[in-house]
Amino acid sequence: MALAPALRPSPDGPRPGGACGEVHAGLDRLEADLDALGRASGVTAREMGEVMRELTRLLNRMQALTDKGAAVAASIDVAGRTGARSTGQWLAQVTSSDPRAGYRQAQRAEGAGLAAVTSSGSGATGSGAVRVGAQGSGAPGVGTAGEGVDGAEPRGPEVSLTGRAQLAGDLSREQVEVIQTSLSALPDGLAPETVLGCERGLIELAQGHGPRDLRRLAARVLEQVGQPVEVVDAHEEHQVRSAEDLAWERASFWIRDNGDGTMHGQFTVPTLAGQTLKKILDAMSSPRRRGAAGPDGSTGAGDETSPGSGLSGAGASGASVLPLPAWCDPGLSPRDRQVARQQRQGQDLAVLLGHLPTDHLHEKTAATVVVTTRLSDLVGETLRVGSTDTGDTLSPGEVRRVACQAGIVPAVLDGDSIPIDLGRQTRFYSSTQRVALATMYDTCAARGCDIPFAWTEIHHAHPWKLGGSTDLKNGIPLCGRHHRMLDRGFEHRVLREGSRVVVELARRRT
């Protein structure tokens, strides 16, 4: 959907002259177009999606041009002329931004080589950049190094593929930083064409993936260029282990007495430890834990009890439940609900600290973290990272360490099997079945949802009340929101992709 060429008089006040003035005038017209779109009737979600994607691309291009301005400033030594310590400091001064942001901007611009001439003079995109396939148009394609648009004479060969894709609006600043960091972490000794292939692969992966997902996928980018699996595993293991070592060094804790019967503090711990604590507190404060237990020991809200998701309600057997906690009250403002949630979890933390088994702290804790690995990795025969049901990765050494601890269940592939299909014997999925499903799913099965598997509920694809069984093949992990959407009548499709399924939601039935 194209924005209408609506015109609007510029608001009162001075406008910069020249090219900058034209840009401001164009933005005024764009704002008027969006106002008109908001008043129009019959605008579909698909059309709004196209508008937002194009606006995001424009924003990416504007951010890329500010990076290019930083690169040009560095190339003419503006910092030296003005007495600033660095280009980053000078940028922070002239843009009234955080010095750290200015430093990152200068680094990002230098790494992409944006000081080189890239303007094509066509007026169409203004970047002369290698164009990555537009989002939503299918598989993206990236041109080779030094190519121009549509086979034209290459311009600015110093500009990296990442810089060209950024100038074309296909990459955000955050994605550029992930790509640059990933390329700098590649093993030494790779051929230039291999490094270039990795860069091209990362740009392709960035289409449709946010910075967090891109960072995870980038750890195995060597697969994109045909490197042996042993090399890929070793590279990923090195990155994860380095991150774990750095996280351990950054761990800290402090606490002080407020003098009013309370204490206040702050801590920084590695992700695995933090996720374990979060799961404990979510399990303690979850609304669904407040319901009466069913015959098999499970509460009866929805298909399964699960930490941190869903709303309370009557159980399958009609058992009553306690009132909803304050953070689920729709009558409160989002801020008040957040404060209520934080208060409850603070109280739960106090209860937890009061029950720590100080005489044997190495024994079981109240939460379970599922760590998926291979048997060969667990016994130290090979090196490949493991994954948790909260969406994090662990080095092989960390997996072996935590596998020996209580409260952490190692889901070892190719190990001894245990019963995981319950048929019609029980309605609720067991913890054993969740462990099995955690080996197939990282997140909620709804398309595009990044809620970790640990916070999902297991939905019966073929409803239990219609004869569906409590078996793995009939179980679909869904976050509380998407689970409720299905239960409340949203049209959807269930697509199988390998060993797992993906749920695509369309619209609510009328």
Side-chain angles (χ1 to χ4, degrees):
M1 176 182 181
L3 296 176
L7 295 177
R8 180 185 72 173
S10 298
D12 295 335
R15 281 290 194 212
C20 288
E22 295 177 4
V23 170
H24 280 285
L27 292 175
D28 289 339
R29 292 193 295 271
L30 179 58
E31 185 179 353
D33 290 343
L34 291 173
D35 288 339
L37 191 63
R39 294 190 297 268
S41 60
V43 179
T44 67
R46 180 186 180 90
E47 290 171 333
M48 278 306 305
E50 293 175 358
V51 169
M52 291 307 299
R53 279 192 291 270
E54 189 60 24
L55 287 174
T56 300
R57 181 168 174 255
L58 291 174
L59 175 61
N60 289 343
R61 289 200 64 203
M62 288 298 296
Q63 291 179 338
L65 290 176
T66 61
D67 282 359
K68 182 177 177 67
V72 172
S75 69
I76 62 176
D77 192 25
V78 168
R81 298 180 186 182
T82 59
R85 291 193 304 271
S86 65
T87 303
Q89 185 199 25
W90 177 81
L91 286 169
Q93 291 174 348
V94 298
T95 62
S96 301
S97 61
D98 187 283
R100 290 171 296 182
Y103 176 72
R104 287 199 307 271
Q105 183 179 13
Q107 275 195 320
R108 189 171 54 241
E110 180 182 0
L114 294 182
V117 176
T118 54
S119 175
S120 64
S122 64
T125 65
S127 68
V130 173
R131 183 73 176 94
V132 180
Q135 296 183 30
S137 62
V142 184
T144 57
E147 287 181 348
V149 177
D150 298 328
E153 191 69 22
R155 293 176 178 271
E158 302 89 348
V159 181
S160 67
L161 280 180
T162 302
R164 290 177 176 273
Q166 184 187 12
L167 286 166
D170 296 309
L171 298 175
S172 67
R173 283 178 168 175
E174 294 79 10
Q175 289 173 319
V176 170
E177 290 179 349
V178 171
I179 291 174
Q180 291 179 338
T181 301
S182 300
L183 291 175
S184 65
L186 290 175
D188 295 332
L190 293 178
E193 57 269 21
T194 301
V195 176
L196 188 63
C198 288
E199 184 176 12
R200 186 177 298 112
L202 288 169
I203 295 173
E204 291 178 352
L205 288 173
Q207 308 310 303
H209 292 102
R212 180 179 177 180
D213 286 341
L214 179 60
R215 189 176 294 107
R216 174 177 55 83
L217 295 171
R220 299 188 65 83
V221 69
L222 289 175
E223 284 183 327
Q224 302 279 325
V225 291
Q227 291 291 302
V229 66
E230 296 81 6
V231 175
V232 178
D233 289 348
H235 176 58
E236 183 181 25
E237 187 272 339
H238 174 72
Q239 293 183 86
V240 174
R241 176 163 43 83
S242 298
E244 289 172 351
D245 292 344
L246 181 60
W248 184 257
E249 293 297 324
R250 288 178 174 174
S252 66
F253 173 82
W254 62 264
I255 190 168
R256 68 164 182 256
D257 193 335
N258 293 328
D260 59 359
T262 65
M263 298 188 75
H264 175 73
Q266 178 177 307
F267 66 86
T268 299
V269 296
T271 300
L272 180 62
Q275 290 286 12
T276 300
L277 176 61
K278 187 176 186 301
K279 290 186 74 171
I280 293 172
L281 297 179
D282 282 342
M284 294 175 69
S285 61
S286 170
R288 293 197 173 198
R289 298 294 183 187
R290 297 159 62 87
D296 59 354
S298 302
T299 58
D303 275 351
E304 188 213 6
T305 58
S306 171
S309 56
L311 301 175
S312 295
S317 59
S320 61
V321 296
L322 297 177
L324 286 174
W327 63 85
C328 294
D329 185 354
L332 295 179
S333 68
R335 175 58 181 167
D336 288 340
R337 291 200 298 269
Q338 181 185 26
V339 170
R341 175 83 174 187
Q342 292 172 345
Q343 180 190 44
R344 172 58 189 271
Q345 293 206 318
Q347 295 167 346
D348 288 338
L349 178 59
V351 172
L352 175 65
L353 293 174
H355 287 79
L356 286 179
T358 56
D359 58 333
H360 53 285
L361 286 175
H362 61 284
E363 296 295 338
K364 287 188 176 181
T365 59
T368 297
V369 174
V370 180
V371 179
T372 302
T373 184
R374 301 181 305 183
L375 182 60
S376 58
D377 298 314
L378 197 62
V379 298
E381 295 176 356
T382 54
L383 289 177
R384 190 168 187 179
V385 301
S387 61
T388 71
D389 59 349
T390 55
D392 304 300
T393 54
L394 302 176
S395 67
E398 185 73 357
V399 170
R400 287 191 289 271
R401 184 187 69 80
V402 301
C404 299
Q405 299 182 21
I408 297 177
V409 176
V412 183
L413 306 184
D414 299 326
D416 294 335
S417 61
I418 53 179
I420 52 180
D421 286 337
L422 303 178
R424 295 284 298 174
Q425 296 177 8
T426 181
R427 173 176 181 178
F428 302 104
Y429 280 88
S430 68
S431 59
T432 299
Q433 289 175 305
R434 284 193 64 92
V435 170
L437 286 170
T439 66
M440 296 184 286
Y441 294 87
D442 299 322
T443 63
C444 168
R447 178 79 72 187
C449 183
D450 60 357
I451 296 299
F453 174 85
W455 319 128
T456 61
E457 308 164 1
I458 309 302
H459 169 71
H460 286 79
H462 182 48
W464 168 266
K465 63 183 179 182
L466 300 180
S469 59
T470 306
D471 294 337
L472 288 186
K473 63 183 180 182
N474 195 41
I476 303 176
L478 294 171
C479 66
R481 170 181 171 80
H482 286 122
H483 198 177
R484 289 191 296 274
M485 289 175 70
L486 262 62
D487 288 343
R488 294 176 183 178
F490 272 77
E491 294 182 357
H492 64 281
R493 295 190 303 163
V494 178
L495 308 176
R496 181 159 293 278
E497 296 183 356
S499 61
R500 54 176 291 172
V501 299
V502 175
V503 178
E504 290 187 344
L505 291 101
R507 59 183 178 83
R508 191 170 184 175
R509 296 189 183 97
T510 56

